[in-house]
Amino acid sequence: QVVRDTGCGGVFRVGDAADLAASIGRCATDRAEAAAMGERGRAVYLTKYDRPLATARFARLCGDLCNSGRQPA
């Protein structure tokens, strides 16, 4: 879903080798779009998934749980 939502890579149907090959072919023939997908992927990683951000989010979650008296689901 992340790849589809952010446009950071090729999307293909699971188990469909021809669809996978077509996705790879599009990357091979449109190098500019392949590079743009890579740049979008890096931007998504840096803004949502890098270690310092993930660690900070987890620490906030733990603090919120400790301070609320709630049990995790």
Side-chain angles (χ1 to χ4, degrees):
Q1 189 65 42
V2 172
V3 172
R4 186 184 320 268
D5 290 348
T6 61
C8 66
V11 178
F12 54 91
R13 291 180 296 276
V14 174
D16 188 334
D19 200 27
L20 171 59
S23 182
I24 293 169
R26 284 188 295 276
C27 287
T29 58
D30 189 347
R31 303 298 294 210
E33 178 56 20
M37 285 190 290
E39 290 169 13
R40 289 190 294 267
R42 180 165 175 73
V44 170
Y45 169 77
L46 291 174
T47 59
K48 290 189 173 191
Y49 301 108
D50 79 334
R51 184 173 289 208
L53 286 172
T55 301
R57 286 183 184 134
F58 184 70
R60 277 194 306 273
L61 173 64
C62 290
D64 290 347
L65 286 172
C66 289
N67 293 328
S68 72
R70 295 180 306 172
Q71 295 295 318

